[in-house]
Amino acid sequence: MPTPVDIAPARGKLGILLVGLGAVSTTTIAGVLAIRKGLSKPIGSLTQMGTVRLGKRTEGRSPKINEVVPLAPLDDIVFGGWDIFEDDCYSAARTAGVIEPALLEQVRPELEKIRPWPAVFDRHYVKRLDGPNVKKGKNKKDLAEQVVDDIRRFKSDHELDRMVMVWAGSTEIFATEAPAHADTAAFERALEANDPAIPSSMVYAYAAIREGIPYANAAPNLSADIPALTDLAAKTGSPLAGKDLKTGQTLIKTIIAPGLKARLLGVSGWYSTNILGNRDGEVLDDPESFKTKEESKKSVLDYILQPQLYPDLYADLYHLVRINYYPPRGDNKEGWDNIDLVGWLGYPMQLKINFLCRDSILAAPIVLDVALFLDLAKRAGMHGIQEWLSFYFKSPVHARGLYPEHDLFIQLMKLKNTLRYLKGEELITHLGREYYD
């Protein structure tokens, strides 16, 4: 048997720091509070409801994941965070309109106690939003120090043992790597110089990583996935994950596309449109923010279908993505896909998918899972990019020189094999010859 990894126990309280207390964050927080009270089930959460097979199929061992690895219990979680609006989490959740008022009322006292700290925010990076609850500072280094102060005060006030940070803020404008991102020293000089190559999300990422706190990016922004911050994470022992939570339409793509490729069905066109009316939809109505999201959503098919290996099937694929801000829908998102297929002898076929989903309801269990798994990674001595958490993201961060794995089923196998590895269990290859030899 392989040797299990030494994992520190999940003693004490875990603080989950959320950057942005909007629809996704308040749905996550209210959901955890409701589940703790026995008012709801943690549907969609792998850490709470998922199982992992251990050993051979004939052994019948498939315990729950939270019985195999030492995850923080929901009762030990304390939430805190930042937002550009001053509303407490109850008011913010009412504004978001995701959770039914009757359920919100049952967790109202706890939600009202969670008030946002002033946020690091610059409209240059998110043009469609503005709010009064914003930090002031002489430069971005000063703002980062203020975030560190918030983190340390939160830890002290709530007597926390450990913390995790998740960027759940809006999509920032499209950015690529710049000289400011080359190494930690260059990054810190750029912070002091107010370099525009450092958006708000990077200020938070720097503060968390410098404190040795695991950091996840739930948006498609360029954030912690730069050499300066991955190098810093290696020094401070911070696990990193991201980016862009895989919720609605892209979740469906990563389910359907592997099946089409497995059957070697050609795809000549894939048209995707979204109708979304929440704050995220408003932000993405700005072309610069949409480009960031578009890059995240469009890359999925290229990596799954591998047109360079299957030119007859996918080399001429026309992939179009549209996001339409439509306020009447609120958080109820509609994703519509038209897929033009090519079958035997070149005969055309079509597949049409209409996913009427709830954006924050799909995102909330992912935020919880990523936070708990990152805390596990930290206690297991794992730092830097945690590619085994690609399962949760549209644009998974990965080591340089590799291509990202987007196939949802391969991603889930990587995740569960990592859990087996941590516990010293045999990795499962699905070869299956042992049952017949």
Side-chain angles (χ1 to χ4, degrees):
M1 288 286 288
T3 303
V5 173
D6 185 19
I7 306 173
R11 292 197 187 98
K13 297 178 183 177
L14 172 67
I16 298 182
L17 298 154
L18 297 168
V19 186
L21 294 179
V24 170
S25 292
T26 57
T27 303
T28 303
I29 296 168
V32 170
L33 295 175
I35 293 161
R36 287 203 303 216
K37 290 187 170 186
L39 302 173
S40 300
K41 300 284 187 183
I43 295 171
S45 169
L46 200 62
T47 61
Q48 304 306 303
M49 301 188 82
T51 63
V52 57
R53 190 189 112 203
L54 303 178
K56 295 181 173 58
R57 279 182 277 167
T58 51
E59 294 179 35
R61 289 195 297 147
S62 291
K64 291 180 69 174
I65 286 171
N66 59 16
E67 295 170 353
V68 174
V69 290
L71 299 176
L74 298 190
D75 286 341
D76 290 346
I77 293 174
V78 181
F79 290 102
W82 300 263
D83 201 272
I84 63 172
F85 299 106
E86 297 171 332
D87 295 344
D88 62 61
C89 277
Y90 172 75
S91 299
R94 287 296 300 262
T95 300
V98 179
I99 297 177
E100 292 296 327
L103 180 57
L104 273 183
E105 287 300 319
Q106 296 183 77
V107 293
R108 179 173 180 170
E110 298 97 319
L111 287 173
E112 287 180 329
K113 290 178 183 176
I114 305 172
R115 304 193 65 89
W117 311 311
V120 176
F121 180 76
D122 188 332
R123 286 198 72 189
H124 173 71
Y125 305 104
V126 184
K127 292 181 168 54
R128 297 295 171 95
L129 288 185
D130 200 9
N133 198 35
V134 176
K135 292 187 186 299
K136 307 294 183 186
K138 62 182 181 181
N139 54 37
K140 292 177 182 179
K141 184 71 183 299
D142 182 23
L143 294 174
E145 297 296 344
Q146 292 181 46
V147 172
V148 170
D149 288 343
D150 291 339
I151 292 170
R152 292 176 177 175
R153 184 171 58 254
F154 179 60
K155 183 176 184 180
S156 173
D157 288 350
H158 294 276
E159 299 179 331
L160 304 176
D161 185 70
R162 308 170 317 283
M163 288 181 288
V164 172
M165 182 187 289
V166 179
W167 170 274
S170 297
T171 299
E172 296 170 329
I173 61 174
F174 183 72
T176 55
E177 281 189 22
H181 308 146
D183 55 51
T184 306
F187 186 86
E188 290 179 336
R189 288 194 299 270
L191 282 171
E192 293 179 347
N194 274 330
D195 193 316
I198 300 180
S200 304
S201 61
M202 283 187 189
V203 175
Y204 282 101
Y206 168 77
I209 294 167
R210 205 185 79 182
E211 291 294 289
I213 295 170
Y215 175 82
N217 179 16
N221 317 328
L222 187 67
S223 184
D225 47 326
I226 56 172
L229 295 182
T230 54
D231 290 350
L232 184 60
K235 295 174 184 174
T236 63
S238 293
L240 307 176
K243 54 188 184 178
D244 202 5
L245 297 182
K246 182 158 52 183
T247 51
Q249 191 171 64
T250 308
L251 171 64
I252 298 300
K253 278 184 179 173
T254 59
I255 293 170
I256 298 296
L260 298 176
K261 179 187 171 187
R263 285 297 307 272
L264 295 178
L265 293 172
V267 181
S268 59
W270 197 311
Y271 174 77
S272 300
T273 189
N274 297 263
I275 300 171
L276 181 61
N278 62 12
R279 192 184 297 171
D280 192 32
E282 184 178 5
V283 168
L284 294 174
D285 207 33
D286 171 57
E288 291 185 83
S289 289
F290 170 71
K291 181 172 175 56
T292 306
K293 176 69 76 170
E294 182 183 34
E295 292 294 318
S296 174
K297 290 171 77 73
K298 289 188 74 172
S299 64
V300 170
L301 290 185
D302 289 338
Y303 287 111
I304 291 176
L305 297 178
Q306 297 177 295
Q308 74 280 11
L309 299 181
Y310 302 97
D312 290 338
L313 300 177
Y314 310 117
D316 297 323
L317 167 63
Y318 186 80
H319 185 199
L320 187 65
V321 176
R322 291 286 181 263
I323 298 176
N324 300 288
Y325 177 49
Y326 184 59
R329 284 294 171 89
D331 200 70
N332 294 334
K333 181 167 65 174
E334 181 170 358
W336 186 83
D337 288 83
N338 174 79
I339 309 165
D340 287 289
L341 304 174
V342 181
W344 182 249
L345 306 179
Y347 276 75
M349 298 178 284
Q350 287 189 351
L351 176 61
K352 298 182 187 297
I353 304 168
N354 190 22
F355 190 19
L356 296 149
C357 57
R358 295 173 179 260
D359 201 42
S360 298
I361 293 296
L362 289 167
I366 297 180
V367 173
L368 175 63
D369 282 1
V370 167
L372 294 182
F373 278 140
L374 282 177
D375 176 54
L376 173 71
K378 173 75 174 180
R379 288 183 284 110
M382 303 164 74
H383 58 75
I385 294 169
Q386 304 298 304
E387 193 187 339
W388 62 284
L389 297 179
S390 295
F391 176 73
Y392 294 108
F393 298 101
K394 289 187 185 78
S395 185
V397 291
H398 53 281
R400 289 174 184 263
L402 293 181
Y403 63 85
E405 182 55 69
H406 280 281
D407 184 315
L408 185 76
F409 307 100
I410 295 175
Q411 290 174 334
L412 183 60
M413 188 186 304
K414 288 165 68 73
L415 190 155
K416 290 191 174 183
N417 265 341
T418 300
L419 300 179
R420 295 181 185 107
Y421 161 77
L422 289 174
K423 295 303 293 182
E425 295 280 346
E426 294 288 347
L427 305 188
I428 292 179
T429 65
H430 298 285
L431 184 64
R433 286 186 58 86
E434 66 271 22
Y435 303 111
Y436 301 97
D437 288 342

